[in-house]
Amino acid sequence: MSEENQSKKIVQPKLLRGMRDSVPDEQEVMQWVVSRTEEIANDYGYRRIETPILESTSLFNRGVGDGTDIVEKEMYSFEDRGGDNISLRPEFTAGLMRAYGQHGFISKPQPVKIWTHGPLFRYDRPQSGRYRQHSQLDFEAMGDPAPVLDAQLINIAYKLLSSFGLDIRVMVNSIGDRDSKTMYQGVLTEYYKAETNLLCEDCQRRLKINPLRLLDCKEEDCRDLSGKAPQMIDYLSEPSRLHFVSVLEYLDELEVPYELNHRIVRGLDYYSETTFEIFSTSDDERASQRALGGGGRYNYLAESLGIGDVPGVGFGLGLERIVLALKDAEIKPPESEVNVFVAQLGDESRRGALAVYERLLKAGYKPAEKFSKDSIKSQLEIADKLGVRYTIIIGQKEIHDGTVIIRDMDGGIQEEVDLDKIEVELAKRFEN
Ligand code: AMP
């Protein structure tokens, strides 16, 4: 290539690191997951809400907590043109609680049950199943401390994921109320302090700001230590213990299988009482360690935002991770039921075929076509692949005679019928 040409070569734009396109094949799966979520949200009285992707940075500093990985290292924060500090939301709950306060939801019957889905942004190290933009399906019940809500939400997440045919494991824990948490953090700090030299660098730092996080570190030495660490469950205050026992009893009642796991502490400051994470059981060890979702109670979040005493509980499920789990398990959405194909033989008949296609849609059929092709052979091959029962063939002659051909794809029998009567003629055949 000459130097001149080289300098003219235009570099194709590329995806940003950690971002991904979701192509139509994947969108079909996502759409399937989202519509099932909508159904289950309706079943349990959760109403759809949408909040903006951009919020003020202080919302997350105060709500999620300054010492958390999300706020400390992962937020996409910047100053907008007016000089305000804003961030792409890294999670849903803080923004939803802001909305609760803003719209006076406190004066509605409690709990306020809401759900949403959409993109979240975290500047994390990208890897399989971890992206800088991902989507979550999120459910929240705000304004009520009752343990039955915790159990009902765990049941919703479990039922939703199981309904796709995934094998689901639910891990639950309690990190207690403020008093229990403070006491336990003290005990934990003492325990880890004696072993500081064995801790990874991150954990040495976390020990000072958020000792609970040491329990879910994935480094081998840290994992060994956390396996032997004192357990939160032994430090719960009486109200917290009773709350947790009730949640477990309700789960038994709902026949949701669960495992107690003291490592499920969740990373964010706002969690209290029940915490849980949801996994799919998979042969692939790495995949089975990637949580499909998680959640818990957050009885002090509203207070930290100046909204008052509004206890809440909720969960978020990772849409991309659900899609990965479905792929691993070779689970696909049901085929769309295209049932009739419209074929044509060139320019003039294509015009007639366009009109026939519209009429079939109106009559409630799910037609398919390949109007850009002229060859009847290749159109019939496509119809065959789609598995339709009938193909309507429209040629020049038929256009002039005011007729069409209905081809039974099962035996190849073709019959000429009046153009005006396609709907009736098709209906007759579908009835048989
Ligand atoms: P979290 O808000 O961190 O509790 O995450 C809830 C769920 O969202 C996780 O269990 C994952 O399924 C999913 N998730 C969280 N972060 C990411 C990410 N960076 N990329 C893809 N999915 C994620």
Side-chain angles (χ1 to χ4, degrees), residues 70 74 90-92 120-122 124-125 127-138 266-268 270-271 276-278 290-295 315-322:
I70 286 193
E74 297 173 6
E91 60 95 58
F92 275 120
L120 305 175
F121 302 83
R122 296 178 188 174
D124 204 351
R125 196 160 40 86
Q127 50 184 276
S128 153
R130 180 173 303 150
Y131 316 107
R132 289 183 174 168
Q133 174 179 335
H134 76 280
S135 301
Q136 285 188 24
L137 307 159
D138 187 273
R266 317 285 293 141
L268 318 183
Y270 58 57
Y271 283 111
F276 56 94
E277 281 186 9
I278 297 177
R290 272 192 312 241
L292 295 183
F315 68 76
L317 302 178
L319 193 49
E320 291 79 3
R321 297 243 183 123
I322 298 174

mmCIF file of all heavy atoms in Angstrom, residues 70 74 90-92 120-122 124-125 127-138 266-268 270-271 276-278 290-295 315-322, ligand 1:
data_model
loop_
_atom_site.group_PDB
_atom_site.id
_atom_site.type_symbol
_atom_site.label_atom_id
_atom_site.label_comp_id
_atom_site.label_asym_id
_atom_site.label_seq_id
_atom_site.Cartn_x
_atom_site.Cartn_y
_atom_site.Cartn_z
ATOM 1 N N ILE A 70 -17.446 -0.619 44.976
ATOM 2 C CA ILE A 70 -18.214 0.062 43.928
ATOM 3 C C ILE A 70 -17.918 1.560 43.932
ATOM 4 O O ILE A 70 -17.590 2.145 42.901
ATOM 5 C CB ILE A 70 -19.734 -0.174 44.108
ATOM 6 C CG1 ILE A 70 -20.092 -1.598 43.690
ATOM 7 C CG2 ILE A 70 -20.546 0.835 43.324
ATOM 8 C CD1 ILE A 70 -21.558 -1.860 43.526
ATOM 9 N N GLU A 74 -15.082 1.716 41.284
ATOM 10 C CA GLU A 74 -15.764 1.236 40.084
ATOM 11 C C GLU A 74 -16.749 2.211 39.447
ATOM 12 O O GLU A 74 -17.329 1.909 38.417
ATOM 13 C CB GLU A 74 -16.498 -0.077 40.406
ATOM 14 C CG GLU A 74 -15.540 -1.178 40.810
ATOM 15 C CD GLU A 74 -16.231 -2.436 41.302
ATOM 16 O OE1 GLU A 74 -17.472 -2.512 41.226
ATOM 17 O OE2 GLU A 74 -15.526 -3.336 41.769
ATOM 18 N N PRO A 90 -24.262 2.521 39.402
ATOM 19 C CA PRO A 90 -23.580 1.224 39.480
ATOM 20 C C PRO A 90 -24.505 0.142 40.033
ATOM 21 O O PRO A 90 -24.181 -1.037 40.004
ATOM 22 C CB PRO A 90 -22.439 1.491 40.462
ATOM 23 C CG PRO A 90 -22.966 2.563 41.356
ATOM 24 C CD PRO A 90 -23.959 3.370 40.565
ATOM 25 N N GLU A 91 -25.644 0.547 40.584
ATOM 26 C CA GLU A 91 -26.619 -0.381 41.160
ATOM 27 C C GLU A 91 -27.962 0.355 41.242
ATOM 28 O O GLU A 91 -28.018 1.571 41.040
ATOM 29 C CB GLU A 91 -26.140 -0.882 42.528
ATOM 30 C CG GLU A 91 -25.922 0.212 43.562
ATOM 31 C CD GLU A 91 -27.140 0.405 44.434
ATOM 32 O OE1 GLU A 91 -27.551 -0.567 45.072
ATOM 33 O OE2 GLU A 91 -27.705 1.521 44.474
ATOM 34 N N PHE A 92 -29.042 -0.407 41.511
ATOM 35 C CA PHE A 92 -30.374 0.200 41.441
ATOM 36 C C PHE A 92 -30.903 0.762 42.756
ATOM 37 O O PHE A 92 -31.650 1.741 42.766
ATOM 38 C CB PHE A 92 -31.397 -0.853 40.998
ATOM 39 C CG PHE A 92 -31.489 -1.021 39.508
ATOM 40 C CD1 PHE A 92 -31.224 -2.247 38.927
ATOM 41 C CD2 PHE A 92 -31.875 0.030 38.694
ATOM 42 C CE1 PHE A 92 -31.308 -2.418 37.549
ATOM 43 C CE2 PHE A 92 -31.970 -0.133 37.327
ATOM 44 C CZ PHE A 92 -31.690 -1.359 36.753
ATOM 45 N N LEU A 120 -26.457 -1.140 34.195
ATOM 46 C CA LEU A 120 -25.664 -0.608 35.304
ATOM 47 C C LEU A 120 -24.211 -0.574 34.846
ATOM 48 O O LEU A 120 -23.832 -1.331 33.951
ATOM 49 C CB LEU A 120 -25.783 -1.526 36.531
ATOM 50 C CG LEU A 120 -27.206 -1.818 37.033
ATOM 51 C CD1 LEU A 120 -27.166 -2.833 38.171
ATOM 52 C CD2 LEU A 120 -27.880 -0.543 37.505
ATOM 53 N N PHE A 121 -23.415 0.286 35.472
ATOM 54 C CA PHE A 121 -22.035 0.503 34.997
ATOM 55 C C PHE A 121 -21.046 0.384 36.152
ATOM 56 O O PHE A 121 -21.212 1.047 37.174
ATOM 57 C CB PHE A 121 -21.927 1.896 34.366
ATOM 58 C CG PHE A 121 -22.890 2.076 33.213
ATOM 59 C CD1 PHE A 121 -24.211 2.419 33.448
ATOM 60 C CD2 PHE A 121 -22.478 1.855 31.911
ATOM 61 C CE1 PHE A 121 -25.117 2.548 32.403
ATOM 62 C CE2 PHE A 121 -23.369 1.985 30.859
ATOM 63 C CZ PHE A 121 -24.691 2.330 31.100
ATOM 64 N N ARG A 122 -20.043 -0.471 35.951
ATOM 65 C CA ARG A 122 -18.993 -0.595 36.966
ATOM 66 C C ARG A 122 -17.653 -0.732 36.263
ATOM 67 O O ARG A 122 -17.500 -1.618 35.415
ATOM 68 C CB ARG A 122 -19.232 -1.844 37.833
ATOM 69 C CG ARG A 122 -20.511 -1.759 38.622
ATOM 70 C CD ARG A 122 -20.760 -3.023 39.423
ATOM 71 N NE ARG A 122 -22.086 -2.971 40.016
ATOM 72 C CZ ARG A 122 -22.647 -3.968 40.680
ATOM 73 N NH1 ARG A 122 -21.991 -5.086 40.879
ATOM 74 N NH2 ARG A 122 -23.855 -3.825 41.185
ATOM 75 N N ASP A 124 -14.899 -2.266 36.354
ATOM 76 C CA ASP A 124 -14.272 -3.418 36.982
ATOM 77 C C ASP A 124 -13.313 -4.056 35.984
ATOM 78 O O ASP A 124 -13.324 -3.690 34.811
ATOM 79 C CB ASP A 124 -15.391 -4.407 37.347
ATOM 80 C CG ASP A 124 -14.987 -5.331 38.471
ATOM 81 O OD1 ASP A 124 -13.805 -5.328 38.838
ATOM 82 O OD2 ASP A 124 -15.870 -6.051 38.977
ATOM 83 N N ARG A 125 -12.503 -5.033 36.439
ATOM 84 C CA ARG A 125 -11.630 -5.749 35.508
ATOM 85 C C ARG A 125 -12.494 -6.712 34.699
ATOM 86 O O ARG A 125 -13.101 -7.614 35.271
ATOM 87 C CB ARG A 125 -10.553 -6.508 36.286
ATOM 88 C CG ARG A 125 -9.386 -6.976 35.445
ATOM 89 C CD ARG A 125 -8.165 -7.264 36.326
ATOM 90 N NE ARG A 125 -8.541 -7.919 37.579
ATOM 91 C CZ ARG A 125 -8.695 -9.241 37.715
ATOM 92 N NH1 ARG A 125 -8.505 -10.044 36.702
ATOM 93 N NH2 ARG A 125 -9.032 -9.755 38.880
ATOM 94 N N GLN A 127 -13.961 -9.699 32.575
ATOM 95 C CA GLN A 127 -13.682 -11.126 32.363
ATOM 96 C C GLN A 127 -14.991 -11.789 31.979
ATOM 97 O O GLN A 127 -16.021 -11.108 31.926
ATOM 98 C CB GLN A 127 -13.095 -11.755 33.623
ATOM 99 C CG GLN A 127 -13.904 -11.457 34.874
ATOM 100 C CD GLN A 127 -13.266 -12.007 36.122
ATOM 101 O OE1 GLN A 127 -13.450 -13.160 36.427
ATOM 102 N NE2 GLN A 127 -12.513 -11.187 36.832
ATOM 103 N N SER A 128 -14.935 -13.105 31.718
ATOM 104 C CA SER A 128 -16.165 -13.761 31.294
ATOM 105 C C SER A 128 -17.227 -13.606 32.391
ATOM 106 O O SER A 128 -16.983 -13.901 33.559
ATOM 107 C CB SER A 128 -15.853 -15.239 31.044
ATOM 108 O OG SER A 128 -16.988 -16.000 31.245
ATOM 109 N N GLY A 129 -18.395 -13.098 32.011
ATOM 110 C CA GLY A 129 -19.468 -12.910 32.991
ATOM 111 C C GLY A 129 -19.327 -11.643 33.820
ATOM 112 O O GLY A 129 -20.120 -11.400 34.720
ATOM 113 N N ARG A 130 -18.281 -10.850 33.546
ATOM 114 C CA ARG A 130 -18.167 -9.562 34.253
ATOM 115 C C ARG A 130 -17.841 -8.470 33.251
ATOM 116 O O ARG A 130 -16.795 -8.493 32.606
ATOM 117 C CB ARG A 130 -17.101 -9.631 35.331
ATOM 118 C CG ARG A 130 -16.993 -8.281 36.064
ATOM 119 C CD ARG A 130 -16.089 -8.317 37.247
ATOM 120 N NE ARG A 130 -16.463 -9.309 38.222
ATOM 121 C CZ ARG A 130 -15.601 -9.931 39.020
ATOM 122 N NH1 ARG A 130 -14.320 -9.662 38.935
ATOM 123 N NH2 ARG A 130 -16.017 -10.811 39.901
ATOM 124 N N TYR A 131 -18.741 -7.539 33.120
ATOM 125 C CA TYR A 131 -18.593 -6.494 32.105
ATOM 126 C C TYR A 131 -18.689 -5.126 32.764
ATOM 127 O O TYR A 131 -19.138 -5.000 33.890
ATOM 128 C CB TYR A 131 -19.696 -6.645 31.049
ATOM 129 C CG TYR A 131 -19.895 -8.073 30.636
ATOM 130 C CD1 TYR A 131 -21.008 -8.800 31.042
ATOM 131 C CD2 TYR A 131 -18.909 -8.729 29.883
ATOM 132 C CE1 TYR A 131 -21.163 -10.138 30.705
ATOM 133 C CE2 TYR A 131 -19.053 -10.057 29.544
ATOM 134 C CZ TYR A 131 -20.179 -10.761 29.958
ATOM 135 O OH TYR A 131 -20.318 -12.086 29.636
ATOM 136 N N ARG A 132 -18.283 -4.109 32.017
ATOM 137 C CA ARG A 132 -18.352 -2.755 32.592
ATOM 138 C C ARG A 132 -19.749 -2.166 32.448
ATOM 139 O O ARG A 132 -20.104 -1.229 33.138
ATOM 140 C CB ARG A 132 -17.283 -1.880 31.945
ATOM 141 C CG ARG A 132 -15.910 -2.312 32.439
ATOM 142 C CD ARG A 132 -14.792 -1.469 31.914
ATOM 143 N NE ARG A 132 -13.551 -1.872 32.561
ATOM 144 C CZ ARG A 132 -12.360 -1.485 32.173
ATOM 145 N NH1 ARG A 132 -12.231 -0.667 31.144
ATOM 146 N NH2 ARG A 132 -11.302 -1.886 32.819
ATOM 147 N N GLN A 133 -20.508 -2.709 31.504
ATOM 148 C CA GLN A 133 -21.948 -2.407 31.474
ATOM 149 C C GLN A 133 -22.662 -3.745 31.521
ATOM 150 O O GLN A 133 -22.376 -4.641 30.725
ATOM 151 C CB GLN A 133 -22.333 -1.669 30.188
ATOM 152 C CG GLN A 133 -23.847 -1.479 30.093
ATOM 153 C CD GLN A 133 -24.298 -0.730 28.840
ATOM 154 O OE1 GLN A 133 -23.554 0.038 28.253
ATOM 155 N NE2 GLN A 133 -25.534 -0.955 28.447
ATOM 156 N N HIS A 134 -23.542 -3.921 32.483
ATOM 157 C CA HIS A 134 -24.356 -5.133 32.508
ATOM 158 C C HIS A 134 -25.785 -4.735 32.865
ATOM 159 O O HIS A 134 -26.042 -3.584 33.221
ATOM 160 C CB HIS A 134 -23.783 -6.161 33.486
ATOM 161 C CG HIS A 134 -24.033 -5.848 34.934
ATOM 162 N ND1 HIS A 134 -23.278 -4.945 35.652
ATOM 163 C CD2 HIS A 134 -24.963 -6.317 35.792
ATOM 164 C CE1 HIS A 134 -23.740 -4.878 36.895
ATOM 165 N NE2 HIS A 134 -24.753 -5.699 37.010
ATOM 166 N N SER A 135 -26.708 -5.680 32.741
ATOM 167 C CA SER A 135 -28.113 -5.363 33.037
ATOM 168 C C SER A 135 -28.607 -6.220 34.180
ATOM 169 O O SER A 135 -28.227 -7.387 34.284
ATOM 170 C CB SER A 135 -29.001 -5.670 31.833
ATOM 171 O OG SER A 135 -28.574 -4.920 30.747
ATOM 172 N N GLN A 136 -29.444 -5.632 34.993
ATOM 173 C CA GLN A 136 -30.054 -6.419 36.063
ATOM 174 C C GLN A 136 -31.567 -6.329 36.031
ATOM 175 O O GLN A 136 -32.135 -5.338 35.565
ATOM 176 C CB GLN A 136 -29.571 -5.935 37.435
ATOM 177 C CG GLN A 136 -28.149 -6.367 37.767
ATOM 178 C CD GLN A 136 -27.748 -6.045 39.211
ATOM 179 O OE1 GLN A 136 -28.585 -5.904 40.096
ATOM 180 N NE2 GLN A 136 -26.440 -5.942 39.432
ATOM 181 N N LEU A 137 -32.193 -7.386 36.541
ATOM 182 C CA LEU A 137 -33.630 -7.394 36.820
ATOM 183 C C LEU A 137 -33.709 -7.171 38.320
ATOM 184 O O LEU A 137 -33.088 -7.915 39.074
ATOM 185 C CB LEU A 137 -34.215 -8.763 36.480
ATOM 186 C CG LEU A 137 -33.913 -9.258 35.071
ATOM 187 C CD1 LEU A 137 -34.069 -10.760 34.987
ATOM 188 C CD2 LEU A 137 -34.856 -8.567 34.095
ATOM 189 N N ASP A 138 -34.440 -6.158 38.738
ATOM 190 C CA ASP A 138 -34.349 -5.751 40.132
ATOM 191 C C ASP A 138 -35.730 -5.645 40.784
ATOM 192 O O ASP A 138 -36.633 -5.015 40.218
ATOM 193 C CB ASP A 138 -33.637 -4.393 40.178
ATOM 194 C CG ASP A 138 -33.335 -3.953 41.574
ATOM 195 O OD1 ASP A 138 -34.208 -3.313 42.200
ATOM 196 O OD2 ASP A 138 -32.237 -4.265 42.055
ATOM 197 N N ARG A 266 -22.466 -9.712 51.194
ATOM 198 C CA ARG A 266 -22.760 -8.631 50.248
ATOM 199 C C ARG A 266 -21.803 -7.472 50.513
ATOM 200 O O ARG A 266 -21.461 -7.185 51.640
ATOM 201 C CB ARG A 266 -24.212 -8.153 50.324
ATOM 202 C CG ARG A 266 -25.222 -9.254 50.433
ATOM 203 C CD ARG A 266 -25.442 -9.977 49.135
ATOM 204 N NE ARG A 266 -26.062 -9.130 48.151
ATOM 205 C CZ ARG A 266 -25.745 -9.124 46.859
ATOM 206 N NH1 ARG A 266 -24.806 -9.900 46.396
ATOM 207 N NH2 ARG A 266 -26.363 -8.341 46.019
ATOM 208 N N GLY A 267 -21.395 -6.818 49.462
ATOM 209 C CA GLY A 267 -20.328 -5.827 49.634
ATOM 210 C C GLY A 267 -20.756 -4.440 50.107
ATOM 211 O O GLY A 267 -19.924 -3.654 50.518
ATOM 212 N N LEU A 268 -22.040 -4.133 50.051
ATOM 213 C CA LEU A 268 -22.422 -2.735 50.213
ATOM 214 C C LEU A 268 -22.829 -2.402 51.647
ATOM 215 O O LEU A 268 -23.367 -3.248 52.353
ATOM 216 C CB LEU A 268 -23.576 -2.407 49.257
ATOM 217 C CG LEU A 268 -23.432 -3.004 47.852
ATOM 218 C CD1 LEU A 268 -24.585 -2.554 46.966
ATOM 219 C CD2 LEU A 268 -22.106 -2.607 47.231
ATOM 220 N N TYR A 270 -25.198 -0.740 52.838
ATOM 221 C CA TYR A 270 -26.594 -0.614 53.264
ATOM 222 C C TYR A 270 -27.250 -1.924 53.683
ATOM 223 O O TYR A 270 -28.359 -1.917 54.187
ATOM 224 C CB TYR A 270 -27.431 0.125 52.215
ATOM 225 C CG TYR A 270 -27.503 -0.441 50.808
ATOM 226 C CD1 TYR A 270 -27.937 -1.729 50.567
ATOM 227 C CD2 TYR A 270 -27.180 0.376 49.723
ATOM 228 C CE1 TYR A 270 -28.042 -2.208 49.273
ATOM 229 C CE2 TYR A 270 -27.283 -0.093 48.420
ATOM 230 C CZ TYR A 270 -27.713 -1.388 48.206
ATOM 231 O OH TYR A 270 -27.825 -1.856 46.936
ATOM 232 N N TYR A 271 -26.581 -3.036 53.497
ATOM 233 C CA TYR A 271 -27.240 -4.296 53.861
ATOM 234 C C TYR A 271 -27.333 -4.503 55.368
ATOM 235 O O TYR A 271 -26.435 -4.116 56.119
ATOM 236 C CB TYR A 271 -26.530 -5.490 53.220
ATOM 237 C CG TYR A 271 -26.868 -5.618 51.759
ATOM 238 C CD1 TYR A 271 -25.918 -5.363 50.776
ATOM 239 C CD2 TYR A 271 -28.151 -5.968 51.364
ATOM 240 C CE1 TYR A 271 -26.238 -5.459 49.434
ATOM 241 C CE2 TYR A 271 -28.480 -6.065 50.029
ATOM 242 C CZ TYR A 271 -27.521 -5.805 49.068
ATOM 243 O OH TYR A 271 -27.840 -5.894 47.749
ATOM 244 N N PHE A 276 -28.664 -12.773 50.685
ATOM 245 C CA PHE A 276 -28.726 -14.044 49.941
ATOM 246 C C PHE A 276 -28.091 -13.901 48.560
ATOM 247 O O PHE A 276 -27.981 -12.798 48.024
ATOM 248 C CB PHE A 276 -30.175 -14.544 49.812
ATOM 249 C CG PHE A 276 -31.126 -13.570 49.181
ATOM 250 C CD1 PHE A 276 -31.384 -13.613 47.812
ATOM 251 C CD2 PHE A 276 -31.782 -12.617 49.941
ATOM 252 C CE1 PHE A 276 -32.274 -12.727 47.223
ATOM 253 C CE2 PHE A 276 -32.669 -11.714 49.366
ATOM 254 C CZ PHE A 276 -32.915 -11.774 48.003
ATOM 255 N N GLU A 277 -27.638 -15.024 48.047
ATOM 256 C CA GLU A 277 -27.122 -15.054 46.674
ATOM 257 C C GLU A 277 -27.631 -16.301 45.992
ATOM 258 O O GLU A 277 -27.939 -17.305 46.643
ATOM 259 C CB GLU A 277 -25.587 -15.006 46.670
ATOM 260 C CG GLU A 277 -25.116 -13.596 46.881
ATOM 261 C CD GLU A 277 -23.619 -13.384 46.764
ATOM 262 O OE1 GLU A 277 -22.888 -14.294 46.350
ATOM 263 O OE2 GLU A 277 -23.197 -12.266 47.119
ATOM 264 N N ILE A 278 -27.724 -16.207 44.668
ATOM 265 C CA ILE A 278 -28.334 -17.283 43.907
ATOM 266 C C ILE A 278 -27.374 -17.751 42.828
ATOM 267 O O ILE A 278 -26.805 -16.927 42.095
ATOM 268 C CB ILE A 278 -29.646 -16.769 43.298
ATOM 269 C CG1 ILE A 278 -30.563 -16.427 44.472
ATOM 270 C CG2 ILE A 278 -30.291 -17.789 42.381
ATOM 271 C CD1 ILE A 278 -31.853 -15.853 44.107
ATOM 272 N N ARG A 290 -20.078 -18.113 39.778
ATOM 273 C CA ARG A 290 -20.567 -16.787 39.382
ATOM 274 C C ARG A 290 -22.016 -16.668 39.809
ATOM 275 O O ARG A 290 -22.866 -17.391 39.299
ATOM 276 C CB ARG A 290 -20.523 -16.649 37.859
ATOM 277 C CG ARG A 290 -19.221 -16.156 37.308
ATOM 278 C CD ARG A 290 -19.373 -15.773 35.863
ATOM 279 N NE ARG A 290 -20.046 -16.771 35.077
ATOM 280 C CZ ARG A 290 -19.517 -17.405 34.034
ATOM 281 N NH1 ARG A 290 -18.316 -17.113 33.644
ATOM 282 N NH2 ARG A 290 -20.202 -18.298 33.358
ATOM 283 N N ALA A 291 -22.287 -15.751 40.722
ATOM 284 C CA ALA A 291 -23.670 -15.626 41.191
ATOM 285 C C ALA A 291 -24.564 -15.115 40.063
ATOM 286 O O ALA A 291 -24.163 -14.261 39.272
ATOM 287 C CB ALA A 291 -23.722 -14.673 42.366
ATOM 288 N N LEU A 292 -25.765 -15.665 39.981
ATOM 289 C CA LEU A 292 -26.751 -15.131 39.030
ATOM 290 C C LEU A 292 -27.410 -13.898 39.619
ATOM 291 O O LEU A 292 -27.942 -13.061 38.898
ATOM 292 C CB LEU A 292 -27.828 -16.175 38.738
ATOM 293 C CG LEU A 292 -27.392 -17.440 38.022
ATOM 294 C CD1 LEU A 292 -28.594 -18.325 37.761
ATOM 295 C CD2 LEU A 292 -26.717 -17.090 36.703
ATOM 296 N N GLY A 293 -27.403 -13.831 40.940
ATOM 297 C CA GLY A 293 -28.028 -12.663 41.553
ATOM 298 C C GLY A 293 -27.826 -12.662 43.044
ATOM 299 O O GLY A 293 -27.260 -13.600 43.609
ATOM 300 N N GLY A 294 -28.279 -11.588 43.640
ATOM 301 C CA GLY A 294 -28.147 -11.505 45.087
ATOM 302 C C GLY A 294 -28.967 -10.351 45.620
ATOM 303 O O GLY A 294 -29.436 -9.498 44.858
ATOM 304 N N GLY A 295 -29.145 -10.362 46.931
ATOM 305 C CA GLY A 295 -29.918 -9.268 47.517
ATOM 306 C C GLY A 295 -29.931 -9.378 49.016
ATOM 307 O O GLY A 295 -29.148 -10.121 49.612
ATOM 308 N N PHE A 315 -33.698 -7.629 45.554
ATOM 309 C CA PHE A 315 -32.625 -8.407 44.911
ATOM 310 C C PHE A 315 -32.396 -7.922 43.488
ATOM 311 O O PHE A 315 -33.260 -7.261 42.888
ATOM 312 C CB PHE A 315 -32.933 -9.914 44.914
ATOM 313 C CG PHE A 315 -34.091 -10.331 44.027
ATOM 314 C CD1 PHE A 315 -33.953 -10.399 42.646
ATOM 315 C CD2 PHE A 315 -35.321 -10.657 44.581
ATOM 316 C CE1 PHE A 315 -35.012 -10.786 41.828
ATOM 317 C CE2 PHE A 315 -36.392 -11.042 43.775
ATOM 318 C CZ PHE A 315 -36.238 -11.101 42.396
ATOM 319 N N GLY A 316 -31.218 -8.246 42.961
ATOM 320 C CA GLY A 316 -30.905 -7.975 41.555
ATOM 321 C C GLY A 316 -30.385 -9.249 40.905
ATOM 322 O O GLY A 316 -29.579 -9.972 41.508
ATOM 323 N N LEU A 317 -30.870 -9.533 39.705
ATOM 324 C CA LEU A 317 -30.376 -10.698 38.962
ATOM 325 C C LEU A 317 -29.646 -10.196 37.726
ATOM 326 O O LEU A 317 -30.132 -9.303 37.031
ATOM 327 C CB LEU A 317 -31.539 -11.598 38.518
ATOM 328 C CG LEU A 317 -32.457 -12.157 39.611
ATOM 329 C CD1 LEU A 317 -33.574 -12.972 38.979
ATOM 330 C CD2 LEU A 317 -31.670 -13.016 40.579
ATOM 331 N N GLY A 318 -28.495 -10.781 37.442
ATOM 332 C CA GLY A 318 -27.703 -10.343 36.293
ATOM 333 C C GLY A 318 -28.216 -10.976 35.002
ATOM 334 O O GLY A 318 -28.166 -12.194 34.843
ATOM 335 N N LEU A 319 -28.701 -10.132 34.103
ATOM 336 C CA LEU A 319 -29.315 -10.649 32.870
ATOM 337 C C LEU A 319 -28.296 -11.391 31.989
ATOM 338 O O LEU A 319 -28.576 -12.477 31.468
ATOM 339 C CB LEU A 319 -29.952 -9.476 32.109
ATOM 340 C CG LEU A 319 -30.892 -9.799 30.971
ATOM 341 C CD1 LEU A 319 -31.953 -10.817 31.345
ATOM 342 C CD2 LEU A 319 -31.577 -8.520 30.477
ATOM 343 N N GLU A 320 -27.099 -10.819 31.836
ATOM 344 C CA GLU A 320 -26.082 -11.483 30.998
ATOM 345 C C GLU A 320 -25.692 -12.831 31.601
ATOM 346 O O GLU A 320 -25.466 -13.804 30.880
ATOM 347 C CB GLU A 320 -24.820 -10.613 30.847
ATOM 348 C CG GLU A 320 -24.998 -9.348 30.014
ATOM 349 C CD GLU A 320 -25.667 -8.220 30.774
ATOM 350 O OE1 GLU A 320 -25.949 -8.382 31.989
ATOM 351 O OE2 GLU A 320 -25.930 -7.162 30.168
ATOM 352 N N ARG A 321 -25.615 -12.873 32.939
ATOM 353 C CA ARG A 321 -25.244 -14.141 33.592
ATOM 354 C C ARG A 321 -26.350 -15.178 33.429
ATOM 355 O O ARG A 321 -26.070 -16.371 33.307
ATOM 356 C CB ARG A 321 -25.005 -13.912 35.083
ATOM 357 C CG ARG A 321 -23.858 -12.980 35.344
ATOM 358 C CD ARG A 321 -22.733 -13.658 36.080
ATOM 359 N NE ARG A 321 -21.715 -12.666 36.339
ATOM 360 C CZ ARG A 321 -21.269 -12.372 37.547
ATOM 361 N NH1 ARG A 321 -21.736 -13.008 38.600
ATOM 362 N NH2 ARG A 321 -20.329 -11.461 37.703
ATOM 363 N N ILE A 322 -27.593 -14.734 33.439
ATOM 364 C CA ILE A 322 -28.699 -15.688 33.227
ATOM 365 C C ILE A 322 -28.579 -16.265 31.824
ATOM 366 O O ILE A 322 -28.703 -17.470 31.609
ATOM 367 C CB ILE A 322 -30.077 -15.013 33.425
ATOM 368 C CG1 ILE A 322 -30.221 -14.504 34.861
ATOM 369 C CG2 ILE A 322 -31.209 -15.971 33.075
ATOM 370 C CD1 ILE A 322 -31.486 -13.707 35.126
HETATM 371 P P1 AMP B 1 -24.626 -7.085 42.693
HETATM 372 O O1 AMP B 1 -25.377 -5.848 42.410
HETATM 373 O O2 AMP B 1 -23.145 -6.927 42.668
HETATM 374 O O3 AMP B 1 -25.122 -7.814 43.872
HETATM 375 O O4 AMP B 1 -24.921 -8.044 41.471
HETATM 376 C C1 AMP B 1 -26.133 -8.726 41.278
HETATM 377 C C2 AMP B 1 -25.949 -9.645 40.098
HETATM 378 O O5 AMP B 1 -25.672 -8.858 38.926
HETATM 379 C C3 AMP B 1 -24.739 -10.539 40.206
HETATM 380 O O6 AMP B 1 -25.066 -11.705 40.903
HETATM 381 C C4 AMP B 1 -24.429 -10.811 38.766
HETATM 382 O O7 AMP B 1 -25.289 -11.795 38.243
HETATM 383 C C5 AMP B 1 -24.744 -9.520 38.106
HETATM 384 N N1 AMP B 1 -23.535 -8.680 37.962
HETATM 385 C C6 AMP B 1 -22.959 -7.879 38.880
HETATM 386 N N2 AMP B 1 -21.887 -7.244 38.379
HETATM 387 C C7 AMP B 1 -21.755 -7.656 37.112
HETATM 388 C C8 AMP B 1 -20.841 -7.368 36.055
HETATM 389 N N3 AMP B 1 -19.836 -6.520 36.226
HETATM 390 N N4 AMP B 1 -21.043 -7.974 34.849
HETATM 391 C C9 AMP B 1 -22.060 -8.842 34.666
HETATM 392 N N5 AMP B 1 -22.955 -9.149 35.622
HETATM 393 C C10 AMP B 1 -22.810 -8.575 36.828
#
